[in-house]
Amino acid sequence: MSGQKAIFPKARALRSFWASRRHVVRGLGSHSASNPRVCVVGGGPAGFYTAQHLLKGRQDVEVDIYERLPVPFGLVRFGVAPDHPEVKNVISTFTQTARQARCGFYGNIHVGKDVSVDELLRAYHAVVLSYGAEGNRTMGIPGENLDGVYSAKDFVGWYNGLPSNRELNPRLDCETAVILGQGNVALDIARILLSPIDLLKKTDITQRSLDVLAHSKVRRVLIVGRRGPMQVACTIKEVREMVNLPDTRPEMLPAEFQGVTEALKVLPRPRKRLTELMARTALEAPTEEELERRRKASRVWGFRFFLSPLEVLATTSDPARVTGIRLAVNRLEGSGEGARAVPTGEVEDVACGLLISSIGYKSLAIDAAVPFDPRRAIVPNTMGRVQEAAGLYCSGWVKTGPVGVIATTMNNSFDTARTLMEDMDSGVLDVSAAKPGSLGVRPLLEERGVRPVTFSGWEKIDAEETRRGKADGKPREKLLDVGEMLHLSRT
């Protein structure tokens, strides 16, 4: 009997939650039962862009977005660097989408655990998987689990307030950090490690991370890649930010730029401008003003090229802690974007007390019923249609792999939305039979004790984060505890 007493209040609370949903912006079941109903799994950029295009493209479609965390926006919230607030302006567009009468947002629902994809397919005419890339690509070398070695995904999640990374507490008690990988994320991390604290204080970086960075002893960051200057994966904006970062100076090896100047004239314009900037920084004599700025700088950064990781090093006196990285020295076979790094047989050891692997994110399988290619780490698809799975679609990184920027994800997601609507129009996707949508999912979640967070619930969290940030002169102070988020969303 005591067990029943414990369960009944929770069940009543869940019934009360779902009943209240009938009176909010979009009342459950208030639209025509024959409207096409689409479920989008993942509340990041891919999910919101997919929903946006569907709602714009068909005036009868209803879209529900299911998100594992209580808060929306995915990598816009947890991946974009704190000092790039302009990139986060897209949140206002996503907010407009979520507030539409034909759109519902349900956070705190873990698809694949709280509700299966098969159950969603029974409740909706179509399900779009847009849950991104939550896994890490591993280096596959000895020592990568030593203390002081972190994945870029976890390190970025730590300073951006991802709840699962809040306890990371990275070791920054060393002079030199090495970042493996030369994409935009690698440069974001380098910039955060070397930025003056006074600059970071004005961003939405978490206070917990700010306190750790304020006591950091890191003064030198090397950004290492297996190929050459003409193959780096970052964009000119990120390199320019490093070149102009206060209190820092560049330190690169001119020999690694051999032949680059001669090759510039045949490069496509974006690649040419990026390579020119790196070559000037590495090879040209600085102006008097720049020379003086570099003399005064207390921190150093630089690209290193033609190097691949072989082994993370430790010492016999401290075998659990990283003290360096052994790298294979490479040469290139071929040219341009298709050039391959080939080991020469030589090795180089670089001392460091912090090693961050920024070699890419990867998607994970969400549900045993969903086809998944573990080698490519994507859901196999044709133009967003999941292979051999009627009614199932995908967009974003789970569709293509972790490539491109937010604009790339937008176009990718629009393409999937167009594919889905074409299937509706042609009859490939049967939308003639009524589907219950969220009303069909409601009893399953009630039975499993899952209480979703609506968009209005998120707006309560948002208001509190903004209030806390304003008190410290910041745009927001992100909540790090899921329990606190849930409590606030229901007050």
Side-chain angles (χ1 to χ4, degrees):
M1 199 65 177
S2 60
Q4 288 181 326
K5 288 179 181 177
I7 292 170
F8 286 167
K10 188 172 187 178
R12 281 197 297 270
L14 286 166
R15 284 195 295 272
S16 173
F17 165 82
W18 285 107
S20 70
R21 291 296 295 143
R22 298 180 186 277
H23 306 288
V24 294
V25 174
R26 173 183 160 192
L28 289 172
S30 61
H31 293 280
S32 168
S34 62
N35 281 357
R37 297 177 187 266
V38 178
C39 170
V40 173
V41 179
F48 270 95
Y49 278 129
T50 302
Q52 174 190 328
H53 209 63
L54 287 170
L55 293 165
K56 182 180 179 182
R58 285 187 63 126
Q59 297 306 304
D60 60 342
V61 75
E62 297 179 27
V63 181
D64 289 330
I65 301 171
Y66 287 65
E67 165 58 41
R68 181 169 55 86
L69 289 170
V71 296
F73 311 136
L75 278 183
V76 177
R77 177 180 168 93
F78 296 118
V80 173
D83 57 349
H84 284 175
E86 71 285 353
V87 181
K88 302 181 186 184
N89 289 340
V90 71
I91 285 176
S92 63
T93 301
F94 296 163
T95 298
Q96 290 172 17
T97 297
R99 286 176 175 168
Q100 289 195 39
R102 291 181 291 120
C103 185
F105 174 83
Y106 301 101
N108 194 42
I109 298 178
H110 191 164
V111 173
K113 179 182 175 185
D114 298 332
V115 60
S116 73
V117 172
D118 278 343
E119 288 168 334
L120 292 175
L121 283 167
R122 287 195 287 273
Y124 292 87
H125 293 100
V127 173
V128 184
L129 303 173
S130 304
Y131 60 86
E134 296 181 316
N136 296 312
R137 293 193 182 277
T138 59
M139 294 182 284
I141 61 173
E144 67 178 308
N145 295 319
L146 290 176
D147 186 21
V149 181
Y150 307 97
S151 72
K153 175 186 170 296
D154 290 347
F155 196 82
V156 170
W158 167 71
Y159 65 64
N160 270 335
L162 186 62
S164 59
N165 295 132
R166 66 179 182 145
E167 303 295 344
L168 192 69
N169 196 27
R171 299 278 296 268
L172 306 183
D173 56 348
C174 60
E175 181 178 340
T176 299
V178 168
I179 304 172
L180 299 173
Q182 295 178 328
N184 285 344
V185 173
L187 269 72
D188 284 346
I189 293 170
R191 201 173 60 253
I192 295 298
L193 284 170
L194 296 178
S195 285
I197 290 298
D198 284 345
L199 290 183
L200 294 179
K201 281 179 180 177
K202 300 171 185 176
T203 73
D204 68 355
I205 193 169
T206 67
Q207 189 60 46
R208 183 179 295 194
S209 303
L210 197 61
D211 292 342
V212 174
L213 287 164
H215 294 92
S216 169
K217 295 181 180 178
V218 174
R219 294 295 179 268
R220 180 170 176 253
V221 177
L222 300 179
I223 308 160
V224 176
R226 59 189 172 85
R227 299 192 292 171
M230 289 185 288
Q231 289 84 33
V232 294
C234 57
T235 57
I236 192 169
K237 177 180 183 290
E238 277 68 26
V239 176
R240 191 179 291 120
E241 285 176 327
M242 290 303 302
V243 170
N244 296 324
L245 192 63
D247 194 32
T248 68
R249 68 176 183 274
E251 186 179 85
M252 288 183 267
L253 300 181
E256 294 187 340
F257 287 82
Q258 186 175 352
V260 167
T261 304
E262 294 77 8
L264 283 174
K265 55 179 172 287
V266 299
L267 294 178
R269 188 169 183 272
R271 172 66 67 181
K272 179 180 179 181
R273 292 176 61 238
L274 168 60
T275 310
E276 277 178 335
L277 175 58
M278 290 189 294
R280 281 200 311 269
T281 304
L283 302 175
E284 289 185 5
T287 63
E288 283 291 330
E289 182 181 354
E290 174 63 12
L291 192 61
E292 182 62 21
R293 188 184 80 85
R294 293 184 186 183
R295 282 198 195 103
K296 293 178 179 177
S298 66
R299 304 181 182 200
V300 177
W301 70 275
F303 286 113
R304 287 296 316 277
F305 299 104
F306 310 109
L307 299 169
S308 296
L310 288 175
E311 182 183 358
V312 182
L313 305 175
T315 61
T316 51
S317 60
D318 191 0
R321 177 75 196 273
V322 57
T323 56
I325 177 77
R326 179 160 294 157
L327 300 156
V329 178
N330 301 325
R331 59 181 174 81
L332 291 189
E333 284 188 356
S335 60
E337 304 292 338
R340 290 191 314 115
V342 178
T344 63
E346 298 177 45
V347 299
E348 179 178 337
D349 290 353
V350 176
C352 63
L354 174 66
L355 179 66
I356 298 174
S357 169
S358 185
I359 59 174
Y361 296 14
K362 69 174 183 179
S363 295
L364 304 173
I366 192 173
D367 189 308
V370 176
F372 191 77
D373 182 342
R375 185 183 64 82
R376 299 172 63 201
I378 63 168
V379 172
N381 69 92
T382 304
M383 298 179 65
R385 298 179 185 92
V386 177
Q387 295 170 9
E388 300 179 5
L392 196 58
Y393 299 79
C394 59
S395 67
W397 283 0
V398 75
K399 172 185 174 185
T400 62
V403 294
V405 293
I406 288 178
T408 315
T409 298
M410 178 184 72
N411 292 325
N412 167 319
S413 303
F414 285 0
D415 286 344
T416 293
R418 277 192 288 269
T419 295
L420 202 164
M421 288 187 287
E422 286 170 9
D423 288 354
M424 287 182 185
D425 294 339
S426 68
V428 169
L429 182 66
D430 183 8
V431 295
S432 61
K435 293 271 189 164
S438 56
L439 283 173
V441 178
R442 180 184 75 182
L444 302 175
L445 297 176
E446 283 182 352
E447 180 184 322
R448 294 160 194 174
V450 179
R451 186 175 175 184
V453 174
T454 62
F455 201 77
S456 61
W458 146 247
E459 289 176 323
K460 294 176 182 178
I461 298 170
D462 179 42
E464 177 61 16
E465 289 184 342
T466 304
R467 185 193 68 77
R468 293 185 188 187
K470 187 177 181 181
D472 293 327
K474 301 171 64 181
R476 73 174 57 243
E477 183 60 48
K478 293 175 186 171
L479 301 183
L480 304 179
D481 182 75
V482 169
E484 187 178 8
M485 293 177 187
L486 295 175
H487 174 73
L488 266 172
S489 72
R490 293 160 189 169
T491 55

